[in-house]
Amino acid sequence: MLGESIRLRSSGIGVRYIERFPVKGAVVMTTIVDVARMANVSVSTVSHVMNGTKKVSDGTRLRVENAIRTSNFTPHPVARSLRSGRTKSIGLIASDTGQYIFGQMIAEVERGTRRAGQTLLLANSDEDREQEKKVVQTLLDHRVDGMIIAPVADSDPEIFERCAAAGCPVVVIDRTSEPGFDQVGIDNRSAMSSLTKHLIDIGHTDIALIAGDLGVWTIQERIVGFRQALQDAAVPSLHGEVIPTERGLVDGQSEIEILLQREPRPTAIIASSGLLTLGALRAFRSQNLSVPEDIAFVSFDGVMNSEFFEPKLTCFIHPVERIGQEAISLLQRRLADPQAPAETVQVPGALFHGTSCGCDGTVPLILEVSSSSD
Amino acid sequence: MLGESIRLRSSGIGVRYIERFPVKGAVVMTTIVDVARMANVSVSTVSHVMNGTKKVSDGTRLRVENAIRTSNFTPHPVARSLRSGRTKSIGLIASDTGQYIFGQMIAEVERGTRRAGQTLLLANSDEDREQEKKVVQTLLDHRVDGMIIAPVADSDPEIFERCAAAGCPVVVIDRTSEPGFDQVGIDNRSAMSSLTKHLIDIGHTDIALIAGDLGVWTIQERIVGFRQALQDAAVPSLHGEVIPTERGLVDGQSEIEILLQREPRPTAIIASSGLLTLGALRAFRSQNLSVPEDIAFVSFDGVMNSEFFEPKLTCFIHPVERIGQEAISLLQRRLADPQAPAETVQVPGALFHGTSCGCDGTVPLILEVSSSSD
DNA sequence: TATTGTGAGAAAAACGATTCGCTGCTTAAT
DNA sequence: ATTAAGCAGCGAATCGTTTTTCTCACAATA
């Protein structure tokens, strides 16, 4: 059949042949029935041998195992799923899979699923509430065994309800504010608090936080940490300010430029995310301000290749890989024991002491772990 | 049923109760049978209405559509796949999904599948030949309708045969050297040739190419482009050299350091990949060489956030998004028409003229499109 | 001896769709 | 008037497993 040439049409001139493209897809796969026939047993026996669901005598088991091996049979996962109701696949929804921070995380989640013999369905919510709703539904339709979601800023609570209704366990990433869910993130408050405290410790009294989108829960938490540090310092004449930016994936450059033109301008600036850090650096450049001489700068998140920046960023580093690992391990635990109590994991990040804060390095930069979890 | 408390065991002391965790997963989904009953038709009719596989009278079609809507029924994809043999899912295998360059590509592929109503199975080959073989098999077992593979350096040809045998169309990414396959990549030769030519044009006569792993096809192509440019220049006393590095994901810093300590050292260096670019920058720093004063530098690939580097990199920029888009569109075409001739797409990249090459900017940097495709 | 139990396997019923073939019934063609 | 064709819809087979139930032979117990 393959490569057979067929007559297409005959014209007046002669006969025209075309080579038929090798037709693939007509491959017959060996099924459990074939195996059963080979081993002279019933299909149920084969199934029991494969799954160990029932005792089978040594003799027949050997025969079956042999038949499986010589025919190198693998059970059809689709058929298996249909009967068992389990797909051995898990879904991962990120708001922007192209972002570097998510790429790292995705890689860890993928590794985890692969190790567990599951497959990973990846979907992107494009940082859009409706899109997120749609992809959640798609993954539910596909009957994934579980889901890991990095929710968009203003995500619809309905998505969680739908998952619950479908009996699909969910692990929430980044946010740790959904009661009753397994979730993993960082301690936004104490991390931001540490950064702020460091600036205060080295003498700054006019600090601005480039906050980002105030509607996002993690941003709100970071602001709380910022305010807490200011309050704890109890320094008179200490002035702190929170600068919001436009919503969405913006670097906030224009907002920061306006801030920098103020008189007097703040002596230190904190950027609340990696993207805002880039915006800040752009703004410094456009205003011809050098860091840390003209202004001190620290950032909440590292940015890629910042080792080549001048100056080096003093920053909190987001433990992305660790978050991915914890997420998939939480999900596996939940799948193994659906009734376990919901767990919230806050993974520790790290502080990197660069030169952008402008201190001589003698003032320590310490991540204080907040003991209160409220 | 939910939250019902059940007696567990009675001891001598009394009766012990535990609260049963709300049992999820016992949700009954509405099936095509329910819809058929609601609309007073047979299941086959419902199916035909959904798929448009047969003419159904307006009256009954309306009844069926109504029933579907009010019960908001969605067909079980697993059951559908089992019967139809198609899963409406496609697989993507990358050698390191965490790398930024792949992240961008994955995002594009995901978008493409989503638009087509398919789901994306993501797997990582960890830049390992055996791992790659394994994940290919896994995806085949899952009966993906098609696959996009960014193969590892020394990938086993068997994986392609297996896909072909299973009737699963494959699009190869990055490499464009597999005859008979749909594939997409860049024109490595002409891109590298352009970079080399630029260095020659501005007067360099001692140029070293930090090549990377010589076993990788794309690297070999870039070397060909390098040599071609040297030859075409026909400048006497022109000296070009190819420096290989250790295999695997290494930045080549140590190799480059050794090179830089030579007397006389090359006057210009080309890095053949983004990772090697980072290694080169590290080496320059450790040897206290400044670019472009002490040595000129251009790189084959951009690296993230290089806008903040000093100096700015003169480089060829890999069109990752475009590659992802082309890959998924090739696959869709193949799925629509399995017999179409195999297509190889070379997408154009771009050159960025920074300051690291050390020219005054008056010498043009032009990407020459090679007309010969051999 | 009659009953009960037990263990190994076979048979059959799901799972939820698609798809082939058949049945009446109406309409067109001979 | 008789046959052929077309239409709308139904019933049943099918995809490849898992899982429940049934059978049958043999051993153990009363």
Side-chain angles (χ1 to χ4, degrees), chain A residues 27 77 121 141 165 282 305 307, chain B residues 27 77 121 141 165 282 285 307:
Chain A
V27 190
L121 302 194
D141 285 347
R282 291 185 184 118
N305 296 327
E307 64 167 304
Chain B
V27 191
L121 302 195
D141 285 348
R282 292 185 183 115
R285 193 164 57 186
E307 66 167 302

Side-chain angles (χ1 to χ4, degrees), chain A residues 29-175:
Chain A
M29 286 258 135
T30 101
T31 76
I32 199 176
V33 181
D34 304 323
V35 175
R37 231 190 317 260
M38 285 174 72
N40 251 320
V41 294
S42 71
V43 288
S44 51
T45 304
V46 178
S47 173
H48 284 132
V49 167
M50 291 194 306
N51 305 313
T53 33
K54 210 174 178 185
K55 184 151 206 180
V56 175
S57 76
D58 289 353
T60 44
R61 178 153 38 80
L62 241 64
R63 284 213 316 286
V64 171
E65 286 169 348
N66 253 322
I68 290 179
R69 205 168 313 115
T70 66
S71 64
N72 54 34
F73 159 77
T74 41
H76 198 307
V78 176
R80 181 176 278 204
S81 300
L82 178 58
R83 185 60 241 250
S84 65
R86 233 148 281 130
T87 55
K88 294 195 34 155
S89 66
I90 78 120
L92 173 57
I93 302 179
S95 50
D96 182 10
T97 58
Q99 250 184 287
Y100 178 72
I101 189 166
F102 279 120
Q104 297 286 93
M105 218 192 58
I106 293 171
E108 289 303 326
V109 170
E110 192 275 340
R111 195 187 316 280
T113 56
R114 183 145 44 85
R115 263 207 280 268
Q118 304 159 321
T119 49
L120 181 66
L121 302 194
L122 180 69
N124 200 322
S125 58
D126 276 344
E127 195 57 67
D128 176 80
R129 182 193 174 95
E130 291 309 313
Q131 191 57 249
E132 182 177 52
K133 233 157 122 176
K134 240 185 260 175
V135 297
V136 164
Q137 191 56 53
T138 306
L139 292 186
L140 284 181
D141 285 347
H142 270 261
R143 305 299 198 277
V144 290
D145 290 343
M147 239 152 95
I148 298 177
I149 306 182
V152 303
D154 59 341
S155 76
D156 193 331
E158 189 186 330
I159 63 174
F160 298 115
E161 290 163 24
R162 282 209 206 154
C163 291
C168 176
V170 169
V171 172
V172 180
I173 269 189
D174 218 30
R175 221 185 273 180

Side-chain angles (χ1 to χ4, degrees), chain B residues 25 39 80 190 203 242-243 324 338 356 369 371 374:
Chain B
R80 179 177 277 202
S190 69
V242 173
I243 313 283
S356 71
V369 179
S371 55
D374 66 332

